[in-house]
Amino acid sequence: MASLTTMSSSMLTKPWIGAASTSVMSSSHGWMQGFMSRWYGNTTMQTKKPKGVLSLGMHSTIDIQANSALGSIYMPKRDYGVLSSSVISNYLQNTQMLRNAANNKGSAFNALERNILHLDGLLPPKYVPMQQQVEKTLALMRSQPTELNKFGFLQSLLHRNERLFFRLVMDNIVECMPIIYTPIIGEACTKWGSTFPHNRGMYISYDRKGRIFETLCNWPNSDVRVIVVTDGERILGLGDLGTNGMGIPIGKLLLYSGIGGVDPHHTLPITLDVGCNTPAIRNDPYYMGLDMDRVRGPGYDEFIDEFVLAVQKRFGMQCLIQFEDFAKQNAARLLAKYQYKACCFNDDIQGTAAVALAGILAALRVPDVLPNIEDHRFVFYGAGSAGIGIANLIVEDLVENKGMKLDEAKRKCWFVDT
């Protein structure tokens, strides 16, 4: 618990959770260069702009000729007469700042930041500290009529102000965790296509087979360190939800950031769309996935193999791939195939098993409970990938730490059909 306290304290210094700091703009030149590089690709620092290059403020530049779409989208439409380059660059800079959830702080931008970033007049004049925003937002969340409405409220907050979202979650983790993940995420997934936004993470569909690396290159950030990926076939206890299962990778990575301290800039939720075998899902007019039966056999394996290799090529061998909510027939064999070829793990098999075994070992300390794990039998209600994973880890503990024979250890675990 001490380490968790230490971690949380250090996390409060991270700019992405909205730590109030008057020094955040002390190096505005480098900070803005990184910001512009993140959202507009590689920017260059020049004292003289070549023809066709537009200043974006803080000396960052972007090639207009190579980015004509940017001009058509972000250039002012009203007739101001002849606009100076400083007016145009300020317009591009400050509107993008406020529309970018990762950098927006709303009214928590202080006077110095507003001046440097040309935000004066674009926000109400009163400076509202982040903690006051958290209190206000928490009250609004609590006023929502249902838990699902609270989920939608927090998702909307996430898409406009990440810093405020993570400060709210970190300061109220016990209250917020069941909303942003289980159990509410299950209900949210069943209504994902018709209710919730789809612009977080990536959807890689089977029709991109042969071009997965090219697809991953569309993600604007090359410094991805953690990927949570699902194919949507076994979402919680709800079965095959297809691309509606995207809520699971998103929710899991929010926990990585809100509890584990992982910068959300380094995370990427992915859903692999290889079809869906649930008629009710595919018949929904708002379903956003491919309308086809789920791919099986060699085609599926080739697709997964191409995905793993593409991730390694795009983000590096050190990028962690967490397999999440894959069906039993695929979960264990994919883990066995890639655990020594990629930086990966299966949360349902390994993560759940680690927590379950830790709980068992802790329970052995309770008074009137037999203190030795080898004196107990374990009954599993169902034999899914999570149950099998837990049993395997219990058996491994009995063999390696208690000296049991493998067959004897296996007889300690029993499974009942669901």
Side-chain angles (χ1 to χ4, degrees), residues 67 82 136 160 201 242 261 269-270 286 304 384:
N67 295 273
V82 179
K136 174 184 176 181
R160 69 176 186 271
I270 294 179
Y286 299 109
I304 298 297

Side-chain angles (χ1 to χ4, degrees), residues 139-168:
L140 289 172
M141 183 195 78
R142 288 171 174 170
S143 70
Q144 301 301 309
T146 68
E147 297 300 287
L148 187 61
N149 287 120
K150 292 179 182 179
F151 174 87
F153 176 85
L154 289 178
Q155 287 293 308
S156 178
L157 175 63
L158 175 65
H159 284 277
R160 69 176 186 271
N161 192 330
E162 280 189 7
R163 297 173 183 228
L164 178 56
F165 172 87
F166 284 111
R167 277 295 297 271
L168 174 68

Side-chain angles (χ1 to χ4, degrees), residues 26-44:
S26 61
S27 180
S28 59
H29 181 285
W31 183 89
M32 182 54 68
Q33 172 70 359
F35 166 73
M36 298 309 300
S37 177
R38 174 176 172 185
W39 287 99
Y40 293 114
N42 292 326
T43 54
T44 57

Side-chain angles (χ1 to χ4, degrees), residues 126-141:
K126 182 179 180 179
Y127 165 72
V128 181
M130 185 62 68
Q131 187 55 43
Q132 188 174 337
Q133 290 193 43
V134 169
E135 294 169 1
K136 174 184 176 181
T137 307
L138 181 62
L140 289 172
M141 183 195 78

